[in-house]
Amino acid sequence: MAHVSAAERRPQLIKAAIDLMTREGVAAGSTRAIAAELGVAQATVHYTFGTKEELYRAVMEQLTEDLIAQVERAAPEDAGFEATFAALAAALWRTVGEQPASHQLLTELSMFALRTPRLREGLRSHYSGIVDVTTRLVNEAAERTGHHLAQPAETLARFFLAGFDGLTMQHLSLPDDAAEHAALQALVSAVVALAGGRLDFVPLPAARRA
């Protein structure tokens, strides 16, 4: 049998892991099961990734990269800031409807990582990357359209992602197309208003110390 390099085997194992865990859940994603999914020896997984945790991290990154690529392709080239941001948000939301399994798997992996010390730092780095990409997209839209941001792009990105993550969980748990459309429209409108300086911050009471 011809030798297959780790560089060639890596995307094959990532796809096998995604296929397996999409069907059967994260708990089923042992290195033995993933190897069997691809039809290779279990040692191949460890040789390619070192640990199961590194494979899981690669799966999260691959799923996210695929979703981001779809969103970036939807960015209009001649629209204003508001229309551009709305188009990006709508494109991301379409992936929830068209690829719910990918979003569910990302959610499951994130929850699993929070309970797994060896994965927690990987999750932190992964989500930091998502914030960075979203911040970049906001900045690029503002620069291209000459739109002055009243709040830092990272603040806008974090606010949007917080709302979007909640909407995604609602869709996976209690789908309602009309309610989700209205909520997404409200979220986009709030982000755009915040970006344009038309939404004031409400003071919060100081946190009480225990």
Side-chain angles (χ1 to χ4, degrees):
M1 182 178 295
H3 172 72
V4 178
S5 69
E8 293 176 279
R9 192 64 83 189
R10 182 181 176 86
Q12 296 173 353
L13 285 168
I14 291 173
K15 183 181 184 304
I18 290 173
D19 291 345
L20 173 67
M21 291 191 286
T22 295
R23 287 197 319 269
E24 302 181 26
V26 174
S30 66
T31 55
R32 183 185 299 277
I34 292 168
E37 179 80 8
L38 186 60
V40 297
Q42 184 179 8
T44 301
V45 180
H46 294 287
Y47 173 75
T48 305
F49 289 96
T51 65
K52 180 176 73 174
E53 288 76 19
E54 284 303 310
L55 172 55
Y56 279 16
R57 180 173 178 174
V59 166
M60 287 192 290
E61 291 173 349
Q62 184 63 58
L63 288 170
T64 303
E65 286 175 8
D66 291 345
L67 294 173
I68 289 171
Q70 294 176 60
V71 172
E72 289 182 321
R73 287 196 294 270
E77 298 180 357
D78 55 357
F81 178 80
E82 295 186 8
T84 298
F85 187 81
L88 292 171
L92 182 58
W93 184 250
R94 278 197 300 274
T95 68
V96 177
E98 295 170 357
Q99 301 160 246
S102 294
H103 287 275
Q104 182 175 339
L105 182 53
L106 271 172
T107 300
E108 291 178 4
L109 283 168
S110 296
M111 295 303 100
F112 178 79
L114 287 173
R115 291 284 190 178
T116 308
R118 286 185 294 180
L119 259 178
R120 198 174 298 139
E121 181 54 38
L123 175 63
R124 178 184 176 89
S125 175
H126 170 72
Y127 201 79
S128 176
I130 295 174
V131 172
D132 288 346
V133 169
T134 309
T135 299
R136 173 177 62 78
L137 291 173
V138 172
N139 268 324
E140 287 177 353
E143 291 171 1
R144 182 182 61 77
T145 60
H147 184 85
H148 172 71
L149 296 177
Q151 296 293 333
E154 184 176 339
T155 298
L156 300 172
R158 284 177 173 270
F159 176 52
F160 172 73
L161 289 170
F164 190 87
D165 287 348
L167 279 174
T168 300
M169 182 58 73
Q170 286 185 24
H171 176 79
L172 294 173
S173 305
L174 188 67
D176 183 324
D177 289 343
E180 291 160 8
H181 178 79
L184 180 64
Q185 191 172 34
L187 174 61
V188 170
S189 298
V191 174
V192 168
L194 191 60
R198 302 191 303 276
L199 186 65
D200 295 328
F201 284 119
V202 176
L204 298 176
R208 293 183 179 180
R209 293 187 178 182

